[in-house]
Amino acid sequence: MTNSDEKKLLAEIAHLRDDLKQLREIVNVLVNVVMEEDYDDDEQEFPAFSGNDSKFQIYN
């Protein structure tokens, strides 16, 4: 392998590392967005329990 081939490979490796770093940042942002939406959905999906529900009076 010649010196210029090694330089090309090193430049390509550096470029791929930069691309990988950017992809990790994008994935982190997407995960944060999904987690925030999931947290917001959990609060709205299940209403608070009220003790005045007559459904459970059958068992008493």
Side-chain angles (χ1 to χ4, degrees):
M1 188 178 280
T2 65
N3 194 15
S4 67
D5 289 340
E6 288 178 9
K7 287 181 182 179
K8 287 179 185 177
L9 284 175
L10 290 174
E12 182 66 22
I13 289 170
H15 180 71
L16 290 172
R17 285 183 177 160
D18 289 340
D19 288 348
L20 183 59
K21 183 179 178 183
Q22 290 176 358
L23 287 173
R24 284 182 180 155
E25 291 173 0
I26 291 170
V27 168
N28 285 336
V29 168
L30 290 174
V31 167
N32 288 336
V33 167
V34 169
M35 295 300 286
E36 286 176 7
E37 285 181 8
D38 188 38
Y39 180 73
D40 292 342
D41 289 346
D42 286 347
E43 289 178 355
Q44 296 171 359
E45 205 170 312
F46 303 106
F49 175 74
S50 68
N52 296 332
D53 257 349
S54 60
K55 293 187 240 180
F56 300 106
Q57 297 300 325
I58 303 170
Y59 301 111
N60 289 338

